[in-house]
Amino acid sequence: MSGKYEMVVGLEVHVQLKTRTKAFCGCSADFGAPPNMNTCPVCLALPGALPVLNEHAVELAVRAALGLGCKVNPISVFARKNYFYPDLPKGYQISQFDQPLATGGSVMIGKTEKGTDIQIGITRLHMEEDAGKSIHDRYPGEIAIDLNRSGVPLIEIVSEPDIRTPAGAGAYLRTLKQILQYLDVSDVSMEEGSLRVDANISVRPPGQVKLGTKTEVKNMNSFSAVEKALAAEYTRQCALLDSGGRVEQQTLLWDGARDTVRPSRTKEGSHDYRYFEEPDLRPLMLDAKWIEHLGSELPELPDERKKRLTEEYGLSTVEVEQLTAHSDLAEYFEGVARASADGKASYNWVMGEVQAALRASGEEISRFRVRPADLAQMLNLVRDGTVSHTAAKTVFAKMVETGKPAAQVAADEGLLQVGDEGAIATWIEEVLQEHPEEATRYLGGEKKLQGVLVGFVMKKSKGRADPKRVNQLLSTRGG
Ligand SMILES: [Zn+2]
């Protein structure tokens, strides 16, 4: 980034709410059905069809607003946003305009070098419906229309122009996504389009209060694409100003293949949407007690959880960041940690073996066969010496494969740790005979060979020998 200009960015994030049905009709809101199957007179905009507001969508929108620290307005108003586009059968989108559902929240995205919080303000959060989808690659030279998405409930979260760097935009988006995921209001999947981002960007000399002319960048399909697009557009605007030119207010599309932005042909930015109050829907009036009740039911959010896990389980900041990346992962970890009373071992197993098993099978942790209580049982067996550290990995692999409890797997597979002196002494004798050179040197006083010999014994016992006992018995021989 050049020191000559400061980057000023605000983001508009569209989030699909996790409802069973659409915002204003009873059609399924599921992703992935065959084209135009999830449609009815309301979402096809047939004459005479009237919208009926989905209460669950309102509930999720309010939850999201409260989780982001917004004030939920007791009265908000639906409005028609008029524009013409083939995938918008009504010719307008039901949205909210001058009286949105919620205003004034914030998201903390990290700390400055001096240790103060970096907050990104949220201007507003409003409800709206999605448009259909134009499909450009199905029939050559023609556009196909799929209206399954028409009328699916969305919230739009508009940030203040508080973001100063591409990395800051990435951090804001990742934090926002994590909070929405914890709130369980959306699938927040960029691949399935349930989270979409538009960026407003301008530049100005540092210290100048007045904002420069902004452009809007669209069409970014990942958070890293947002970061790249902002960097590219910043460079373009700076070069323009340096050469004596002026930034023109316009809508730009990110071209990921060429790492560049290009003007949008539809000139969406210059539209006058001729907003007016939606005559088919009454103002949305929310009961203060109901809002309060939803507020009291909010789950623990990422920041609080990070603090608590750090304190309760004595984990480092990095470890806690990893564990809280997804609420399901954090919950799984806590299940193990609580039942085993060992935060550190639980962390090691969850981020190690459990993640490896999930990567191998492509499963989600919420459906993982080894439940937290099962893994905790295994950790307890390791701690009390019933199963050795070496054998634990084999036991775990069998648990993943069979779904049986740890104690049973260890018994079935002959992996219970052997602390019996006679058995261990026999293994030691065998190892000493099989490795005469090491044996002679060790017995002659070369103490550092003890580790090697313990390794041989552990291998011979297939990991069952209690290594502490092996060490003790070998020491008495090494005399
Ligand atoms: Zn419908």
PDB file of all heavy atoms in Angstrom, residues 22 25 27 39-40 42-43, ligand 1:
ATOM      1  N   LYS A  22     -39.277 -20.304   1.879  1.00  0.00           N
ATOM      2  CA  LYS A  22     -38.867 -18.980   1.411  1.00  0.00           C
ATOM      3  C   LYS A  22     -39.433 -17.853   2.288  1.00  0.00           C
ATOM      4  O   LYS A  22     -40.209 -18.097   3.211  1.00  0.00           O
ATOM      5  CB  LYS A  22     -39.312 -18.813  -0.046  1.00  0.00           C
ATOM      6  CG  LYS A  22     -38.596 -19.764  -1.006  1.00  0.00           C
ATOM      7  CD  LYS A  22     -38.927 -19.453  -2.455  1.00  0.00           C
ATOM      8  CE  LYS A  22     -38.212 -20.433  -3.388  1.00  0.00           C
ATOM      9  NZ  LYS A  22     -38.530 -20.155  -4.813  1.00  0.00           N
ATOM     10  N   CYS A  25     -43.414 -17.198   0.815  1.00  0.00           N
ATOM     11  CA  CYS A  25     -44.296 -18.276   0.355  1.00  0.00           C
ATOM     12  C   CYS A  25     -43.814 -19.581   0.993  1.00  0.00           C
ATOM     13  O   CYS A  25     -42.794 -19.603   1.676  1.00  0.00           O
ATOM     14  CB  CYS A  25     -44.297 -18.386  -1.174  1.00  0.00           C
ATOM     15  SG  CYS A  25     -42.696 -18.785  -1.877  1.00  0.00           S
ATOM     16  N   CYS A  27     -42.669 -22.309  -0.457  1.00  0.00           N
ATOM     17  CA  CYS A  27     -41.751 -23.131  -1.257  1.00  0.00           C
ATOM     18  C   CYS A  27     -40.478 -23.449  -0.467  1.00  0.00           C
ATOM     19  O   CYS A  27     -40.028 -22.627   0.330  1.00  0.00           O
ATOM     20  CB  CYS A  27     -41.342 -22.380  -2.516  1.00  0.00           C
ATOM     21  SG  CYS A  27     -42.678 -22.150  -3.674  1.00  0.00           S
ATOM     22  N   THR A  39     -40.998 -23.576  -6.812  1.00  0.00           N
ATOM     23  CA  THR A  39     -41.657 -22.317  -7.186  1.00  0.00           C
ATOM     24  C   THR A  39     -43.166 -22.425  -7.014  1.00  0.00           C
ATOM     25  O   THR A  39     -43.717 -23.534  -6.974  1.00  0.00           O
ATOM     26  CB  THR A  39     -41.375 -21.953  -8.664  1.00  0.00           C
ATOM     27  OG1 THR A  39     -41.741 -23.071  -9.479  1.00  0.00           O
ATOM     28  CG2 THR A  39     -39.924 -21.616  -8.898  1.00  0.00           C
ATOM     29  N   CYS A  40     -43.818 -21.269  -6.902  1.00  0.00           N
ATOM     30  CA  CYS A  40     -45.272 -21.208  -6.771  1.00  0.00           C
ATOM     31  C   CYS A  40     -45.723 -19.846  -7.311  1.00  0.00           C
ATOM     32  O   CYS A  40     -44.884 -19.017  -7.672  1.00  0.00           O
ATOM     33  CB  CYS A  40     -45.677 -21.387  -5.309  1.00  0.00           C
ATOM     34  SG  CYS A  40     -45.355 -19.921  -4.310  1.00  0.00           S
ATOM     35  N   VAL A  42     -46.512 -17.167  -5.926  1.00  0.00           N
ATOM     36  CA  VAL A  42     -45.937 -16.001  -5.250  1.00  0.00           C
ATOM     37  C   VAL A  42     -44.524 -15.716  -5.760  1.00  0.00           C
ATOM     38  O   VAL A  42     -44.221 -14.606  -6.187  1.00  0.00           O
ATOM     39  CB  VAL A  42     -45.919 -16.201  -3.710  1.00  0.00           C
ATOM     40  CG1 VAL A  42     -45.182 -15.062  -3.016  1.00  0.00           C
ATOM     41  CG2 VAL A  42     -47.341 -16.310  -3.173  1.00  0.00           C
ATOM     42  N   CYS A  43     -43.668 -16.743  -5.761  1.00  0.00           N
ATOM     43  CA  CYS A  43     -42.278 -16.473  -6.139  1.00  0.00           C
ATOM     44  C   CYS A  43     -42.074 -16.470  -7.654  1.00  0.00           C
ATOM     45  O   CYS A  43     -40.998 -16.112  -8.130  1.00  0.00           O
ATOM     46  CB  CYS A  43     -41.307 -17.393  -5.402  1.00  0.00           C
ATOM     47  SG  CYS A  43     -41.634 -19.137  -5.555  1.00  0.00           S
TER      48      CYS A  43
HETATM   49 ZN    ZN B   1     -43.035 -19.933  -3.848  1.00  0.00          ZN
END
